[in-house]
Amino acid sequence: MTELVKRYRRNAEKCLRLVQDFGDPEAKRSLLAMANAWLMLAAQREKNIEAAPANESTSPINEPPPPPYEPPAPPPIDEPPPGSEPPQRLSAAEPDDSVQS
């Protein structure tokens, strides 16, 4: 049995001990559900360990997840794409003929 399986089972035991301290039926149901979830995790972990090939090690719990995919950043808005002409800017004194009022 691995340390992780032992920890899961200890967490289930803690939940079962806490059930005795609560009078609220909803709290008891929640704690029993949590204990059940911990026991299911322990059983699943044991199953995965048994199913793993002998030459393949299981990954430790503290191993960081892979970094999320980040698409490349678009070019800044103020800079035109390479090879294009810069946009024409209007001054306050020059009205834009394309806009009709």
Side-chain angles (χ1 to χ4, degrees), residues 8-96:
Y8 290 165
R9 290 191 177 174
R10 281 193 309 265
N11 287 343
E13 289 172 6
K14 288 177 187 178
C15 290
L16 293 175
R17 280 193 302 267
L18 286 172
V19 165
Q20 298 170 5
D21 297 336
F22 285 88
D24 179 33
E26 186 62 33
K28 285 185 175 194
R29 274 192 294 274
S30 295
L31 284 166
L32 289 172
M34 288 175 64
N36 191 38
W38 283 117
L39 291 173
M40 287 175 30
L41 280 170
Q44 183 65 42
R45 181 70 179 176
E46 286 179 322
K47 183 179 170 183
N48 288 345
I49 291 170
E50 291 171 8
N55 61 352
E56 189 178 304
S57 65
T58 56
S59 61
I61 184 109
N62 294 332
E63 183 176 300
Y69 171 74
E70 292 186 26
I77 295 176
D78 292 344
E79 295 179 20
S84 66
E85 295 181 18
Q88 294 180 340
R89 299 188 185 263
L90 299 175
S91 67
E94 300 176 23
D96 185 3

